[in-house]
């Protein structure tokens, strides 16, 4: 039976009778404004209580803070409400919902963010990796930039006030009860507001302890939060009081998985510049910090503006067209799939060593192709030709001539013996070139016309699991079990960059439409989004519960990404916001591969999926604009 708590701070009794209007223990009303009911107590001290409440006017639960009235606080509460109302709604700031007063209390109601705070996460799982701390900064700095643009300072940035939301896949700054406004360009002199609900002394900037705050005070606190995440120690424990210097780096335990020394050193230098006690030497604004990280505030503002413009205007819906059943053979899980040029046919291959070509509209099997001696790893229709290329775990790549139509003759026209098991094959989008990834740690580049080996790329230390050519850019990306993504220059086949940050084997990589972004994913469940100009991690997309087997951007899209997982789900993401837009469910076992194509302008996309459950799923991603 649902619990309803009494709002009386001297009672806080649990009431299990939803129909009762008054507490059965003390007689106090169980509803405020005939609207809010307390469903959980989150925090209590001698001055205030924080409840999670249900709202009869809002389907989402909210946070209600009940504050004891006293003379020092009355004026500040009114100012706080004014400040919160000034701030334009922001997707990463909990919504202001309501405020009101009674004879004894002030009340503030805001949106509820479900998740665990940083202190809980560190206590539960230990210190954060470099990439995770980088993500904290990328999530919090744009919010501070937005807040500071209203001349407001948060003043309570500490581990307990930053929550990781699984639903939003990001870190959210909460507890805005100590907001104060800057007077002038730099500082605000001491006034009564600085004595109200100020943050922890350990995470406060030196000037705030002296009654003076500025924008850089928030950055100082954020820097100390990063120190705590990397060391697990409170600021007082990593400060040498004798020579008044930070010794946090001496307590930074580098994980063996932290192989990106460049990112690690950049983060260390950035934190050192955030926690300088001297204001004149400290980084002064969130935009300065973001620029040092290789990001632009303008990009973040534009992304937020786009999200606001399109919120509730753009819907993505899945429509299941049909499931095609594979042959009922013992080991007939399907590993790979591809659409023909015109979208009328799909080719699939898998553990039974044969290729099946089916008609999309009817679902009928047109032809089976036999010849492989090993499991088929990948398959590709060559655009504008009658050629189909397939590769297997035994190291063979076959070129098939397929004339299309029912009962058409098909045969092998060429065979490549690569010498090592094939994991993936990739076609160059503009040149007659083929790349193959192999378990012997190498990538082989072939001339599709002459069938000659052009070059062999060898830089990975474990099996290569994926290769992808960029469209409109001379780049090739490769993924490996060695947890590293490598970017190659295709005009001279030189290694251009290595992207390090995965803690588990990588299974798939994908370029967006203009090759400005690369996505990578694998056994670590998260999807990493990389900026190819700076080679920095922009964000992690978290939401799958098992290995991500395949990722692909929607055709011609810079921001919309599909991911398939062993958790039986396919998800559509907006990589700019990190938002999960849609979820496909229907397969009964792990999904291994996907192929996507545009149906027609403004009509959405067709998606084909293969699974261990021996089926092929045919789906349509619909896109409907609200009028």
């Amino acid at each position: 039976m649902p619990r309803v708590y009494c709002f009386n701070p001297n009672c806080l009794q649990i009431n299990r009778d939803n129909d009762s209007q008054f507490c059965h223990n003390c007689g106090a009303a169980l509803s405020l404004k005939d609207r809010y009911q307390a469903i959980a107590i989150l925090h209590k001290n001698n001055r205030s209580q924080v409840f999670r409440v249900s709202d009869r006017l809002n389907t989402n639960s909210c946070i209600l803070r009940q504050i004891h009235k006293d003379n020092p606080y009355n004026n500040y509460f009114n100012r706080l409400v004014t400040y919160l109302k000034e701030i334009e709604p922001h997707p990463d700031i909990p919504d202001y919902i309501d405020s009101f007063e009674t004879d004894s209390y002030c009340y503030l109601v805001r949106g509820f963010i479900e998740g665990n705070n940083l202190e809980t996460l560190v206590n539960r799982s230990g210190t954060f990796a470099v990439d995770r701390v980088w993500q904290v900064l990328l999530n919090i700095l744009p919010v501070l930039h937005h807040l500071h643009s209203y001349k407001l300072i948060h003043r309570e940035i500490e581990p307990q006030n930053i929550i990781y939301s699984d639903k939003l896949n990001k870190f959210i700054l909460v507890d805005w009860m100590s907001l104060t406004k800057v007077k002038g360009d730099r500082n605000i002199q001491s006034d009564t507001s600085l004595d109200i609900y100020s943050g922890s002394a350990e995470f406060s900037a030196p000037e705030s302890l002296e009654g003076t705050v500025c924008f850089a005070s928030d950055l100082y606190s954020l820097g100390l939060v990063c120190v705590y995440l990397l060391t697990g120690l409170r600021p007082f424990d990593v400060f040498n009081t004798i020579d008044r210097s930070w010794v946090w780096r001496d307590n930074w335990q580098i994980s063996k998985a932290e192989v990106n020394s460049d990112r690690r050193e950049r983060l260390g230098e950035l934190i050192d510049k955030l926690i300088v006690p001297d204001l004149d030497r400290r980084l002064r604004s969130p935009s300065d910090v973001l620029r040092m990280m290789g990001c632009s505030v303008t990009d973040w503002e534009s992304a937020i503006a786009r999200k606001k413009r399109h919120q509730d205007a753009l819907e993505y819906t899945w429509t299941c067209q049909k499931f095609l059943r594979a042959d009922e053979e013992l080991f007939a899980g399907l590993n790979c799939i591809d659409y023909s040029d015109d979208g009328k046919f799909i080719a699939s291959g898998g553990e039974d060593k044969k290729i099946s070509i089916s008609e999309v509209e009817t679902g009928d099997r047109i032809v089976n192709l036999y010849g492989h001696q090993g499991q088929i790893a990948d398959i590709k229709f060559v655009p504008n030709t009658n050629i189909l290329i397939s590769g297997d775990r035994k190291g063979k790549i076959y070129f098939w001539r397929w004339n299309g139509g029912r009962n058409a003759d098909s045969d092998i026209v060429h065979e490549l013996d690569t010498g090592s098991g094939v994991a993936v094959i990739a076609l160059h989008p503009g040149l007659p070139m083929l790349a193959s990834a192999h378990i012997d740690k190498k990538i082989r580049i072939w001339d599709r016309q002459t069938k000659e080996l052009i070059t062999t790329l060898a830089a990975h230390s474990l099996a290569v699991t994926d290769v992808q050519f960029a469209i409109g850019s001379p780049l090739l990306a490769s993924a490996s079990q060695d947890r590293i993504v490598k970017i190659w220059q295709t005009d001279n086949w030189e290694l251009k960059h290595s992207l390090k940050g995965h803690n588990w084997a990588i299974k798939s990589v994908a370029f967006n439409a203009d090759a400005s972004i690369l996505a990578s994913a694998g056994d670590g469940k998260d999807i990493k989004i990389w900026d190819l100009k700076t080679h920095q991690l922009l964000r992690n997309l978290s939401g799958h519960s098992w290995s991500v087997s395949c990722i692909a951007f929607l055709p011609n899209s810079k921001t919309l990404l599909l991911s398939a997982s062993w958790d039986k789900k396919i998800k559509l993401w907006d990589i700019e916001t990190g938002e999960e837009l849609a979820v496909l469910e229907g397969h009964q076992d792990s999904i291994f591969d996907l192929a996507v194509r545009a149906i027609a302008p403004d009509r959405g996309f067709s998606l084909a999926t293969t699974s261990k459950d021996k089926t092929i799923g045919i789906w349509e991603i619909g896109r409907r604009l609200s009028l």
Side-chain angles (χ1 to χ4, degrees), residues 38 83 117 147 180 277 316 324 339 360 409 437 477 528 531 544 555 621:
Y83 296 155
N117 65 44
L147 177 66
T180 196
Y316 294 91
L324 311 183
Y339 276 103
V360 174
D409 292 333
K528 295 188 182 295
D531 184 334
H544 284 293
I621 307 173

Side-chain angles (χ1 to χ4, degrees), residues 52 64 67 81 142 153 188 206 212 271 291 409 416 423 454 471 508 546 562 585 591 621:
R52 183 174 178 180
L64 180 144
I67 305 153
V81 171
I153 303 172
I188 177 170
T212 302
I271 292 173
R291 276 192 290 271
D409 292 333
L416 297 177
I454 297 173
I471 297 176
S508 184
W546 207 351
L562 288 163
E585 294 183 86
I591 302 170
I621 307 173

Side-chain angles (χ1 to χ4, degrees), residues 373-541:
Q373 299 302 308
Q375 290 187 28
I376 299 172
D378 202 5
I379 191 166
K380 293 287 186 294
F381 281 101
V382 180
N384 304 313
T385 73
N386 63 346
I387 297 297
L388 180 71
I389 303 178
S390 57
D392 66 30
R393 306 293 190 198
K394 294 285 189 179
K396 299 286 189 177
I397 296 177
Y398 291 153
F399 289 66
W400 305 80
R401 181 173 52 244
W402 180 64
N403 296 317
R406 294 175 178 269
N407 304 314
D409 292 333
S410 302
D411 54 7
I412 298 172
V413 295
H414 197 82
E415 172 186 328
L416 297 177
D417 189 353
T418 69
S420 178
V422 176
V424 169
I425 55 177
L427 304 179
H428 193 285
L431 299 173
M433 195 181 297
L434 172 74
S436 54
H438 298 270
I439 63 173
D440 68 356
K441 316 172 194 177
K442 297 176 182 178
I443 303 158
R444 291 169 173 83
I445 309 298
W446 309 85
D447 186 313
R448 245 187 21 239
Q449 293 178 335
T450 66
K451 313 301 188 293
E452 293 180 353
L453 181 66
I454 297 173
T455 188
T456 299
L457 310 178
H460 286 289
S461 58
L462 292 174
V464 184
T465 52
D466 196 15
V467 286
Q468 294 294 329
F469 286 101
I471 297 176
S473 182
L475 297 177
L476 174 78
S478 59
S480 169
Q481 291 179 1
D482 65 12
R483 303 173 294 180
I484 299 174
V485 177
K486 294 190 180 292
I487 308 297
W488 306 82
Q489 197 78 23
T490 59
D491 48 11
N492 56 17
W493 301 112
E494 291 184 358
L495 179 61
K496 184 178 181 181
H497 204 85
S498 295
L499 304 178
K500 302 175 182 178
H502 283 276
N503 295 324
W504 299 85
I506 309 168
K507 293 180 178 293
S508 184
V509 289
F511 288 99
N512 71 343
D514 64 358
S516 62
I517 298 292
L518 184 82
S520 58
D523 288 339
K525 305 176 188 177
D526 288 354
I527 303 165
K528 295 188 182 295
I529 307 299
W530 306 88
D531 184 334
L532 290 181
K533 294 179 182 178
T534 63
H535 300 110
Q536 300 302 316
L537 181 68
L538 292 179
R539 66 169 65 247
N540 281 303
L541 305 180

